[in-house]
Amino acid sequence: MSKWSRRRGAQPIPLLIRIMAGLGLLLLLIPLAGLLLAAPWSNLAELLTDEDTLEAVRVSLIVSVSAAILSTLFGVPIAFVLARANFPGKSLLRTVVTVPLVLPPVVTGVAMLYGFGRRGLIGRTLGLELPFTTVGAVLAATIVAMPFLVLSVEGALRNTDPRFEQMAASLGARPLARWLTVTLPMIRPSILAGMVLAWARALGEFGATITFAGNLPGVTQTLPLKISLAFEQKPEQALALSLLMLAVALAVLVALRDRWVPRR
Amino acid sequence: MALIAIALVAASCSQDTKTVDVFAASSLTDAFTELESRYEAANPGIDIRLNLAGSNTLLRQIIDGAPADVFAPADAGYLTDPDLLSQHRQIVSTIFAGNTLVAIVPIDSDLKILDDLFQPGLILTRCADGVPCGVATNEWLDSQNVSLGQQSMEANVRSVLTKVRLGEADGGFVYRTDALAASQEVRIIELDTGGTASPTVSVGIADLSDSDGPARDFVQFVLSDTGAEVLSTLGFDQP
């Protein structure tokens, strides 16, 4: 009973609000329940260890980990610029950084074809061949995943006390050294949280990947692509793979439960 | 809550218009878009609503309960799927056209003949294994006893076409009608070499509505002379 008691001084929650919250929860839970009930539990191990599946797991790991690393290498500096610098066009920069969050990933994929495709803006000029390659899949995943890292890190930077950096400067630390030895350690938990979120988003990426990088088994066929195709041929394999993705998603959220929504 | 209900009702049926949900294969995109506009022009009270996707995606949706009135897969074999038959016992299907599998390359490609497609290092696109054009591609590859380099397995024939059209893939396998729909951007390489005929599929259609209504009428229209004329203009073979 004590677990359910209200916070001290909090007002009772009206019945209507509780009902609406319950309905909203059902909306989220019913599909998950359906998935768990339909899952082929008896031959799960077999379905998850066949050769094609392991190959998709391997591609997914390579692509998502690489995307998380690239997101960090580029995303932390972007977050730093957004949090600390003042310049005209800053709100435009923030829009550019966050637009993949709201854009349908398939649109990101189409845009990437015209930008990085071998007949696109950059590909044509530099003779690059990125579509249908693992590097292409990594780029697609990085573009959709980086905003999660940038937002997480920028928020943390805004909450740090700039006086630490000023103090380091007054002691003679050069700007880059100050950034590496004072600023970065202060926001390390947020960088880690951002990396995990970016990794999870990259792991789930589908639309931009299939549009830009195609669906080459062993090269660009990640787990979500495999699930989408398998669903029409071997639904029980799609279900088994969906369970795997769900388990990973839950693990990520449990690991991040205090980071994503700070607990009071 | 009430507002949402009203919005849903308003979206699902405007007054006096009957909607026919037609689930048609990607390879029928242009044909059925044209047939839709002709039929709607002649029958003002009917709204033909097209759901275009790979045949196996559509079949899956129908088996999972999607409200399809008409099903037209790229391969008539999909109309005898056991799960489909157990849902629609009265199904009557008709073969109304044929299609031919061809190879395509970007119009300015250096690849000229079929053998060029078997060079190492090319990026080829094709339909995935369960899609009719993927099944046809596999059968052809087996009969030729050849294997291809890296192949991107696309969910439907139109995404194969798009990737060759944009020049991002070096070549692909599609139906002749898809290739003709983009004849400014892709060049056809026939597959009938070595004494074997080109692989073909029979395109079928079935009324799933189980009633004598507009769905049946639309199917009759597809099978009519007007329908046949639209299909042959787009390059479909006679059934």
Side-chain angles (χ1 to χ4, degrees):
Chain A
M1 188 62 208
S2 65
K3 254 190 138 178
W4 289 89
S5 65
R6 299 192 303 266
R7 285 177 198 285
R8 208 179 323 169
Q11 294 303 303
I13 298 172
L15 184 64
L16 178 66
I17 290 182
R18 289 192 214 186
I19 292 173
M20 293 303 281
L23 287 176
L25 199 61
L26 279 182
L27 185 67
L28 302 173
L29 280 178
I30 288 172
L32 294 181
L35 183 65
L36 291 176
L37 283 175
W41 295 102
S42 54
N43 52 346
L44 199 58
E46 194 184 320
L47 286 166
L48 288 179
T49 51
D50 84 37
E51 208 173 311
D52 290 5
T53 301
L54 292 177
E55 199 164 58
V57 169
R58 185 179 63 84
V59 173
S60 264
L61 285 177
I62 292 172
V63 168
S64 57
V65 170
S66 310
I69 292 171
L70 283 183
S71 295
T72 312
L73 284 178
F74 299 123
V76 174
I78 290 176
F80 195 70
V81 169
L82 283 176
R84 290 282 193 271
N86 264 319
F87 56 94
K90 187 170 137 180
S91 59
L92 185 69
L93 174 64
R94 181 176 286 114
T95 309
V96 170
V97 169
T98 44
V99 87
L101 275 182
V102 283
L103 205 61
V106 60
V107 176
T108 302
V110 169
M112 287 184 73
L113 276 175
Y114 288 101
F116 294 118
R118 63 181 177 188
R119 299 202 179 173
L121 200 60
I122 295 295
R124 194 175 43 203
T125 329
L126 302 180
L128 285 177
E129 302 227 352
L130 292 171
F132 303 108
T133 64
T134 308
V135 176
V138 170
L139 283 188
T142 305
I143 289 176
V144 295
M146 197 160 63
F148 287 89
L149 185 122
V150 172
L151 293 183
S152 166
V153 174
E154 191 201 344
L157 279 169
R158 288 182 176 284
N159 287 330
T160 57
D161 192 336
R163 280 178 298 183
F164 287 111
E165 287 165 39
Q166 287 158 12
M167 207 180 297
S170 72
L171 292 172
R174 289 172 172 280
L176 186 61
R178 206 158 73 211
W179 193 67
L180 290 173
T181 59
V182 178
T183 315
L184 279 190
M186 282 195 294
I187 55 166
R188 200 174 60 181
S190 296
I191 294 177
L192 285 176
M195 279 182 90
V196 176
L197 279 176
W199 174 75
R201 176 63 188 88
L203 189 69
E205 165 44 39
F206 174 80
T209 309
I210 199 162
T211 309
F212 180 69
N215 185 29
L216 280 89
V219 182
T220 65
Q221 188 180 74
T222 56
L223 279 171
L225 271 62
K226 173 102 187 147
I227 291 173
S228 167
L229 271 190
F231 185 55
E232 278 133 26
Q233 287 169 53
K234 290 186 273 178
E236 73 281 6
Q237 189 173 36
L239 282 169
L241 291 172
S242 302
L243 274 188
L244 178 67
M245 298 292 292
L246 181 62
V248 172
L250 288 178
V252 167
L253 292 179
V254 169
L256 287 183
R257 63 194 184 283
D258 294 341
R259 294 262 143 245
W260 187 231
V261 184
R263 200 165 19 180
R264 284 196 296 155
Chain B
M1 214 53 165
L3 277 177
I4 295 170
I6 290 167
L8 286 175
V9 170
S12 60
C13 61
S14 54
Q15 42 181 206
D16 293 345
T17 307
K18 280 190 176 152
T19 304
V20 180
D21 282 303
V22 177
F23 284 35
S26 281
S27 56
L28 298 169
T29 302
D30 298 304
F32 273 57
T33 307
E34 174 69 20
L35 289 167
E36 175 194 16
S37 63
R38 289 201 190 197
Y39 186 80
E40 285 174 349
N43 300 274
I46 311 279
D47 177 24
I48 302 293
R49 202 157 53 180
L50 291 180
N51 178 12
L52 299 160
S55 300
N56 58 337
T57 305
L58 298 173
L59 177 64
R60 186 80 231 160
Q61 290 171 352
I62 294 171
I63 292 169
D64 286 342
D69 298 313
V70 175
F71 181 29
D75 185 332
Y78 283 64
L79 291 169
T80 54
D81 179 88
D83 290 336
L84 182 69
L85 290 179
S86 69
Q87 263 182 20
H88 297 274
R89 291 174 203 286
Q90 307 297 321
I91 200 166
V92 178
S93 54
T94 315
I95 290 169
F96 67 98
N99 219 335
T100 309
L101 192 75
V102 297
I104 50 169
V105 293
I107 193 106
D108 54 355
S109 170
D110 295 331
L111 308 172
K112 301 287 180 207
I113 57 168
L114 193 53
D115 283 346
D116 292 342
L117 286 176
F118 301 114
Q119 293 171 20
L122 295 182
I123 289 169
L124 300 175
T125 50
R126 48 160 297 176
C127 297
D129 289 339
V131 194
C133 50
V135 176
T137 305
N138 281 342
E139 282 172 5
W140 180 78
L141 287 171
D142 289 346
S143 74
Q144 299 291 300
N145 215 1
V146 288
S147 57
L148 296 169
Q150 289 193 330
Q151 309 155 50
S152 181
M153 315 294 266
E154 304 289 330
N156 63 67
V157 71
R158 284 298 162 120
S159 48
V160 177
L161 179 68
T162 301
K163 279 165 180 165
V164 179
R165 239 176 143 157
L166 291 173
E168 298 300 342
D170 297 307
F173 294 87
V174 299
Y175 296 118
R176 184 187 308 286
T177 52
D178 301 300
L180 292 175
S183 56
Q184 306 290 311
E185 292 140 305
V186 302
R187 185 152 40 81
I188 291 177
I189 297 179
E190 299 287 344
L191 299 180
D192 59 352
T193 51
T196 51
S198 292
T200 56
V201 291
S202 300
V203 192
I205 190 166
D207 167 20
L208 305 180
S209 68
D210 296 334
S211 68
D212 191 11
R216 189 157 300 173
D217 193 50
F218 178 72
V219 171
Q220 288 309 318
F221 173 72
V222 173
L223 302 176
S224 70
D225 289 347
T226 314
E229 179 215 310
V230 167
L231 290 160
S232 78
T233 310
L234 292 170
F236 283 89
D237 304 325
Q238 301 273 320

mmCIF file with all atom_site columns, all heavy atoms in Angstrom, chain B residues 192-213:
data_model
loop_
_atom_site.group_PDB
_atom_site.id
_atom_site.type_symbol
_atom_site.label_atom_id
_atom_site.label_alt_id
_atom_site.label_comp_id
_atom_site.label_asym_id
_atom_site.label_entity_id
_atom_site.label_seq_id
_atom_site.pdbx_PDB_ins_code
_atom_site.Cartn_x
_atom_site.Cartn_y
_atom_site.Cartn_z
_atom_site.occupancy
_atom_site.B_iso_or_equiv
_atom_site.pdbx_formal_charge
_atom_site.auth_seq_id
_atom_site.auth_comp_id
_atom_site.auth_asym_id
_atom_site.auth_atom_id
_atom_site.pdbx_PDB_model_num
ATOM 1   N N   . ASP B 1 192 ? 15.751  -13.850 -72.994 1.00 0.00 ? 192 ASP B N   1
ATOM 2   C CA  . ASP B 1 192 ? 15.422  -15.056 -73.763 1.00 0.00 ? 192 ASP B CA  1
ATOM 3   C C   . ASP B 1 192 ? 16.614  -15.591 -74.542 1.00 0.00 ? 192 ASP B C   1
ATOM 4   O O   . ASP B 1 192 ? 16.464  -16.089 -75.650 1.00 0.00 ? 192 ASP B O   1
ATOM 5   C CB  . ASP B 1 192 ? 14.250  -14.775 -74.712 1.00 0.00 ? 192 ASP B CB  1
ATOM 6   C CG  . ASP B 1 192 ? 14.576  -13.648 -75.687 1.00 0.00 ? 192 ASP B CG  1
ATOM 7   O OD1 . ASP B 1 192 ? 15.637  -13.012 -75.514 1.00 0.00 ? 192 ASP B OD1 1
ATOM 8   O OD2 . ASP B 1 192 ? 13.779  -13.407 -76.599 1.00 0.00 ? 192 ASP B OD2 1
ATOM 9   N N   . THR B 1 193 ? 17.791  -15.494 -73.963 1.00 0.00 ? 193 THR B N   1
ATOM 10  C CA  . THR B 1 193 ? 18.967  -15.993 -74.667 1.00 0.00 ? 193 THR B CA  1
ATOM 11  C C   . THR B 1 193 ? 19.134  -17.491 -74.437 1.00 0.00 ? 193 THR B C   1
ATOM 12  O O   . THR B 1 193 ? 18.493  -18.078 -73.568 1.00 0.00 ? 193 THR B O   1
ATOM 13  C CB  . THR B 1 193 ? 20.231  -15.299 -74.165 1.00 0.00 ? 193 THR B CB  1
ATOM 14  O OG1 . THR B 1 193 ? 20.244  -15.397 -72.754 1.00 0.00 ? 193 THR B OG1 1
ATOM 15  C CG2 . THR B 1 193 ? 20.268  -13.868 -74.613 1.00 0.00 ? 193 THR B CG2 1
ATOM 16  N N   . GLY B 1 194 ? 20.038  -18.092 -75.201 1.00 0.00 ? 194 GLY B N   1
ATOM 17  C CA  . GLY B 1 194 ? 20.398  -19.490 -75.005 1.00 0.00 ? 194 GLY B CA  1
ATOM 18  C C   . GLY B 1 194 ? 19.257  -20.441 -75.284 1.00 0.00 ? 194 GLY B C   1
ATOM 19  O O   . GLY B 1 194 ? 19.172  -21.514 -74.689 1.00 0.00 ? 194 GLY B O   1
ATOM 20  N N   . GLY B 1 195 ? 18.343  -20.050 -76.180 1.00 0.00 ? 195 GLY B N   1
ATOM 21  C CA  . GLY B 1 195 ? 17.278  -20.962 -76.589 1.00 0.00 ? 195 GLY B CA  1
ATOM 22  C C   . GLY B 1 195 ? 16.129  -21.085 -75.613 1.00 0.00 ? 195 GLY B C   1
ATOM 23  O O   . GLY B 1 195 ? 15.159  -21.774 -75.886 1.00 0.00 ? 195 GLY B O   1
ATOM 24  N N   . THR B 1 196 ? 16.198  -20.414 -74.445 1.00 0.00 ? 196 THR B N   1
ATOM 25  C CA  . THR B 1 196 ? 15.075  -20.485 -73.507 1.00 0.00 ? 196 THR B CA  1
ATOM 26  C C   . THR B 1 196 ? 14.191  -19.258 -73.670 1.00 0.00 ? 196 THR B C   1
ATOM 27  O O   . THR B 1 196 ? 14.670  -18.173 -74.000 1.00 0.00 ? 196 THR B O   1
ATOM 28  C CB  . THR B 1 196 ? 15.569  -20.526 -72.050 1.00 0.00 ? 196 THR B CB  1
ATOM 29  O OG1 . THR B 1 196 ? 16.491  -19.460 -71.860 1.00 0.00 ? 196 THR B OG1 1
ATOM 30  C CG2 . THR B 1 196 ? 16.222  -21.846 -71.722 1.00 0.00 ? 196 THR B CG2 1
ATOM 31  N N   . ALA B 1 197 ? 12.913  -19.454 -73.432 1.00 0.00 ? 197 ALA B N   1
ATOM 32  C CA  . ALA B 1 197 ? 11.986  -18.334 -73.526 1.00 0.00 ? 197 ALA B CA  1
ATOM 33  C C   . ALA B 1 197 ? 12.147  -17.440 -72.299 1.00 0.00 ? 197 ALA B C   1
ATOM 34  O O   . ALA B 1 197 ? 12.625  -17.881 -71.254 1.00 0.00 ? 197 ALA B O   1
ATOM 35  C CB  . ALA B 1 197 ? 10.560  -18.855 -73.615 1.00 0.00 ? 197 ALA B CB  1
ATOM 36  N N   . SER B 1 198 ? 11.743  -16.174 -72.420 1.00 0.00 ? 198 SER B N   1
ATOM 37  C CA  . SER B 1 198 ? 11.762  -15.276 -71.275 1.00 0.00 ? 198 SER B CA  1
ATOM 38  C C   . SER B 1 198 ? 10.804  -15.780 -70.207 1.00 0.00 ? 198 SER B C   1
ATOM 39  O O   . SER B 1 198 ? 9.755   -16.322 -70.530 1.00 0.00 ? 198 SER B O   1
ATOM 40  C CB  . SER B 1 198 ? 11.323  -13.870 -71.692 1.00 0.00 ? 198 SER B CB  1
ATOM 41  O OG  . SER B 1 198 ? 12.283  -13.298 -72.522 1.00 0.00 ? 198 SER B OG  1
ATOM 42  N N   . PRO B 1 199 ? 11.168  -15.604 -68.935 1.00 0.00 ? 199 PRO B N   1
ATOM 43  C CA  . PRO B 1 199 ? 10.243  -16.013 -67.871 1.00 0.00 ? 199 PRO B CA  1
ATOM 44  C C   . PRO B 1 199 ? 8.992   -15.125 -67.870 1.00 0.00 ? 199 PRO B C   1
ATOM 45  O O   . PRO B 1 199 ? 9.101   -13.919 -68.044 1.00 0.00 ? 199 PRO B O   1
ATOM 46  C CB  . PRO B 1 199 ? 11.049  -15.807 -66.591 1.00 0.00 ? 199 PRO B CB  1
ATOM 47  C CG  . PRO B 1 199 ? 12.339  -15.191 -66.980 1.00 0.00 ? 199 PRO B CG  1
ATOM 48  C CD  . PRO B 1 199 ? 12.398  -15.012 -68.444 1.00 0.00 ? 199 PRO B CD  1
ATOM 49  N N   . THR B 1 200 ? 7.842   -15.748 -67.690 1.00 0.00 ? 200 THR B N   1
ATOM 50  C CA  . THR B 1 200 ? 6.595   -14.969 -67.685 1.00 0.00 ? 200 THR B CA  1
ATOM 51  C C   . THR B 1 200 ? 5.772   -15.285 -66.444 1.00 0.00 ? 200 THR B C   1
ATOM 52  O O   . THR B 1 200 ? 5.981   -16.307 -65.794 1.00 0.00 ? 200 THR B O   1
ATOM 53  C CB  . THR B 1 200 ? 5.722   -15.306 -68.911 1.00 0.00 ? 200 THR B CB  1
ATOM 54  O OG1 . THR B 1 200 ? 5.483   -16.712 -68.915 1.00 0.00 ? 200 THR B OG1 1
ATOM 55  C CG2 . THR B 1 200 ? 6.383   -14.900 -70.202 1.00 0.00 ? 200 THR B CG2 1
ATOM 56  N N   . VAL B 1 201 ? 4.868   -14.393 -66.138 1.00 0.00 ? 201 VAL B N   1
ATOM 57  C CA  . VAL B 1 201 ? 3.900   -14.648 -65.065 1.00 0.00 ? 201 VAL B CA  1
ATOM 58  C C   . VAL B 1 201 ? 2.506   -14.342 -65.591 1.00 0.00 ? 201 VAL B C   1
ATOM 59  O O   . VAL B 1 201 ? 2.337   -13.573 -66.538 1.00 0.00 ? 201 VAL B O   1
ATOM 60  C CB  . VAL B 1 201 ? 4.139   -13.767 -63.813 1.00 0.00 ? 201 VAL B CB  1
ATOM 61  C CG1 . VAL B 1 201 ? 5.405   -14.159 -63.090 1.00 0.00 ? 201 VAL B CG1 1
ATOM 62  C CG2 . VAL B 1 201 ? 4.158   -12.296 -64.178 1.00 0.00 ? 201 VAL B CG2 1
ATOM 63  N N   . SER B 1 202 ? 1.506   -14.991 -64.981 1.00 0.00 ? 202 SER B N   1
ATOM 64  C CA  . SER B 1 202 ? 0.112   -14.710 -65.309 1.00 0.00 ? 202 SER B CA  1
ATOM 65  C C   . SER B 1 202 ? -0.460  -13.814 -64.215 1.00 0.00 ? 202 SER B C   1
ATOM 66  O O   . SER B 1 202 ? -0.363  -14.140 -63.041 1.00 0.00 ? 202 SER B O   1
ATOM 67  C CB  . SER B 1 202 ? -0.699  -16.002 -65.363 1.00 0.00 ? 202 SER B CB  1
ATOM 68  O OG  . SER B 1 202 ? -0.167  -16.840 -66.349 1.00 0.00 ? 202 SER B OG  1
ATOM 69  N N   . VAL B 1 203 ? -1.030  -12.689 -64.636 1.00 0.00 ? 203 VAL B N   1
ATOM 70  C CA  . VAL B 1 203 ? -1.571  -11.742 -63.668 1.00 0.00 ? 203 VAL B CA  1
ATOM 71  C C   . VAL B 1 203 ? -3.046  -12.059 -63.449 1.00 0.00 ? 203 VAL B C   1
ATOM 72  O O   . VAL B 1 203 ? -3.815  -12.163 -64.407 1.00 0.00 ? 203 VAL B O   1
ATOM 73  C CB  . VAL B 1 203 ? -1.410  -10.296 -64.168 1.00 0.00 ? 203 VAL B CB  1
ATOM 74  C CG1 . VAL B 1 203 ? -1.700  -9.317  -63.048 1.00 0.00 ? 203 VAL B CG1 1
ATOM 75  C CG2 . VAL B 1 203 ? -0.013  -10.071 -64.721 1.00 0.00 ? 203 VAL B CG2 1
ATOM 76  N N   . GLY B 1 204 ? -3.437  -12.230 -62.182 1.00 0.00 ? 204 GLY B N   1
ATOM 77  C CA  . GLY B 1 204 ? -4.816  -12.628 -61.904 1.00 0.00 ? 204 GLY B CA  1
ATOM 78  C C   . GLY B 1 204 ? -5.562  -11.599 -61.065 1.00 0.00 ? 204 GLY B C   1
ATOM 79  O O   . GLY B 1 204 ? -4.963  -10.705 -60.459 1.00 0.00 ? 204 GLY B O   1
ATOM 80  N N   . ILE B 1 205 ? -6.870  -11.747 -61.043 1.00 0.00 ? 205 ILE B N   1
ATOM 81  C CA  . ILE B 1 205 ? -7.695  -10.843 -60.240 1.00 0.00 ? 205 ILE B CA  1
ATOM 82  C C   . ILE B 1 205 ? -8.842  -11.641 -59.632 1.00 0.00 ? 205 ILE B C   1
ATOM 83  O O   . ILE B 1 205 ? -9.325  -12.604 -60.241 1.00 0.00 ? 205 ILE B O   1
ATOM 84  C CB  . ILE B 1 205 ? -8.216  -9.666  -61.105 1.00 0.00 ? 205 ILE B CB  1
ATOM 85  C CG1 . ILE B 1 205 ? -8.862  -8.587  -60.232 1.00 0.00 ? 205 ILE B CG1 1
ATOM 86  C CG2 . ILE B 1 205 ? -9.203  -10.158 -62.171 1.00 0.00 ? 205 ILE B CG2 1
ATOM 87  C CD1 . ILE B 1 205 ? -9.086  -7.275  -60.969 1.00 0.00 ? 205 ILE B CD1 1
ATOM 88  N N   . ALA B 1 206 ? -9.236  -11.274 -58.421 1.00 0.00 ? 206 ALA B N   1
ATOM 89  C CA  . ALA B 1 206 ? -10.371 -11.952 -57.793 1.00 0.00 ? 206 ALA B CA  1
ATOM 90  C C   . ALA B 1 206 ? -11.204 -10.951 -57.003 1.00 0.00 ? 206 ALA B C   1
ATOM 91  O O   . ALA B 1 206 ? -10.673 -10.005 -56.421 1.00 0.00 ? 206 ALA B O   1
ATOM 92  C CB  . ALA B 1 206 ? -9.876  -13.053 -56.858 1.00 0.00 ? 206 ALA B CB  1
ATOM 93  N N   . ASP B 1 207 ? -12.519 -11.186 -57.016 1.00 0.00 ? 207 ASP B N   1
ATOM 94  C CA  . ASP B 1 207 ? -13.444 -10.382 -56.218 1.00 0.00 ? 207 ASP B CA  1
ATOM 95  C C   . ASP B 1 207 ? -13.579 -11.063 -54.864 1.00 0.00 ? 207 ASP B C   1
ATOM 96  O O   . ASP B 1 207 ? -13.983 -12.212 -54.785 1.00 0.00 ? 207 ASP B O   1
ATOM 97  C CB  . ASP B 1 207 ? -14.783 -10.330 -56.966 1.00 0.00 ? 207 ASP B CB  1
ATOM 98  C CG  . ASP B 1 207 ? -15.900 -9.795  -56.088 1.00 0.00 ? 207 ASP B CG  1
ATOM 99  O OD1 . ASP B 1 207 ? -15.598 -9.142  -55.084 1.00 0.00 ? 207 ASP B OD1 1
ATOM 100 O OD2 . ASP B 1 207 ? -17.077 -10.044 -56.445 1.00 0.00 ? 207 ASP B OD2 1
ATOM 101 N N   . LEU B 1 208 ? -13.206 -10.372 -53.794 1.00 0.00 ? 208 LEU B N   1
ATOM 102 C CA  . LEU B 1 208 ? -13.280 -10.967 -52.461 1.00 0.00 ? 208 LEU B CA  1
ATOM 103 C C   . LEU B 1 208 ? -14.497 -10.486 -51.683 1.00 0.00 ? 208 LEU B C   1
ATOM 104 O O   . LEU B 1 208 ? -14.665 -10.805 -50.512 1.00 0.00 ? 208 LEU B O   1
ATOM 105 C CB  . LEU B 1 208 ? -12.017 -10.617 -51.647 1.00 0.00 ? 208 LEU B CB  1
ATOM 106 C CG  . LEU B 1 208 ? -10.657 -10.964 -52.247 1.00 0.00 ? 208 LEU B CG  1
ATOM 107 C CD1 . LEU B 1 208 ? -9.555  -10.536 -51.303 1.00 0.00 ? 208 LEU B CD1 1
ATOM 108 C CD2 . LEU B 1 208 ? -10.555 -12.447 -52.545 1.00 0.00 ? 208 LEU B CD2 1
ATOM 109 N N   . SER B 1 209 ? -15.339 -9.667  -52.335 1.00 0.00 ? 209 SER B N   1
ATOM 110 C CA  . SER B 1 209 ? -16.407 -9.014  -51.575 1.00 0.00 ? 209 SER B CA  1
ATOM 111 C C   . SER B 1 209 ? -17.577 -9.943  -51.274 1.00 0.00 ? 209 SER B C   1
ATOM 112 O O   . SER B 1 209 ? -18.410 -9.634  -50.429 1.00 0.00 ? 209 SER B O   1
ATOM 113 C CB  . SER B 1 209 ? -16.918 -7.802  -52.352 1.00 0.00 ? 209 SER B CB  1
ATOM 114 O OG  . SER B 1 209 ? -17.584 -8.231  -53.518 1.00 0.00 ? 209 SER B OG  1
ATOM 115 N N   . ASP B 1 210 ? -17.674 -11.095 -51.967 1.00 0.00 ? 210 ASP B N   1
ATOM 116 C CA  . ASP B 1 210 ? -18.738 -12.060 -51.733 1.00 0.00 ? 210 ASP B CA  1
ATOM 117 C C   . ASP B 1 210 ? -20.136 -11.467 -51.897 1.00 0.00 ? 210 ASP B C   1
ATOM 118 O O   . ASP B 1 210 ? -21.075 -11.875 -51.229 1.00 0.00 ? 210 ASP B O   1
ATOM 119 C CB  . ASP B 1 210 ? -18.641 -12.685 -50.326 1.00 0.00 ? 210 ASP B CB  1
ATOM 120 C CG  . ASP B 1 210 ? -17.362 -13.492 -50.167 1.00 0.00 ? 210 ASP B CG  1
ATOM 121 O OD1 . ASP B 1 210 ? -16.848 -13.977 -51.196 1.00 0.00 ? 210 ASP B OD1 1
ATOM 122 O OD2 . ASP B 1 210 ? -16.883 -13.623 -49.035 1.00 0.00 ? 210 ASP B OD2 1
ATOM 123 N N   . SER B 1 211 ? -20.251 -10.435 -52.734 1.00 0.00 ? 211 SER B N   1
ATOM 124 C CA  . SER B 1 211 ? -21.591 -9.889  -52.966 1.00 0.00 ? 211 SER B CA  1
ATOM 125 C C   . SER B 1 211 ? -21.633 -9.306  -54.372 1.00 0.00 ? 211 SER B C   1
ATOM 126 O O   . SER B 1 211 ? -20.589 -9.018  -54.969 1.00 0.00 ? 211 SER B O   1
ATOM 127 C CB  . SER B 1 211 ? -21.918 -8.800  -51.939 1.00 0.00 ? 211 SER B CB  1
ATOM 128 O OG  . SER B 1 211 ? -21.100 -7.675  -52.166 1.00 0.00 ? 211 SER B OG  1
ATOM 129 N N   . ASP B 1 212 ? -22.845 -9.149  -54.866 1.00 0.00 ? 212 ASP B N   1
ATOM 130 C CA  . ASP B 1 212 ? -23.003 -8.650  -56.224 1.00 0.00 ? 212 ASP B CA  1
ATOM 131 C C   . ASP B 1 212 ? -23.005 -7.130  -56.192 1.00 0.00 ? 212 ASP B C   1
ATOM 132 O O   . ASP B 1 212 ? -24.029 -6.507  -56.402 1.00 0.00 ? 212 ASP B O   1
ATOM 133 C CB  . ASP B 1 212 ? -24.313 -9.202  -56.813 1.00 0.00 ? 212 ASP B CB  1
ATOM 134 C CG  . ASP B 1 212 ? -24.386 -8.925  -58.305 1.00 0.00 ? 212 ASP B CG  1
ATOM 135 O OD1 . ASP B 1 212 ? -23.357 -8.514  -58.867 1.00 0.00 ? 212 ASP B OD1 1
ATOM 136 O OD2 . ASP B 1 212 ? -25.469 -9.121  -58.879 1.00 0.00 ? 212 ASP B OD2 1
ATOM 137 N N   . GLY B 1 213 ? -21.871 -6.537  -55.898 1.00 0.00 ? 213 GLY B N   1
ATOM 138 C CA  . GLY B 1 213 ? -21.827 -5.078  -55.740 1.00 0.00 ? 213 GLY B CA  1
ATOM 139 C C   . GLY B 1 213 ? -20.795 -4.451  -56.643 1.00 0.00 ? 213 GLY B C   1
ATOM 140 O O   . GLY B 1 213 ? -20.395 -5.031  -57.650 1.00 0.00 ? 213 GLY B O   1
#
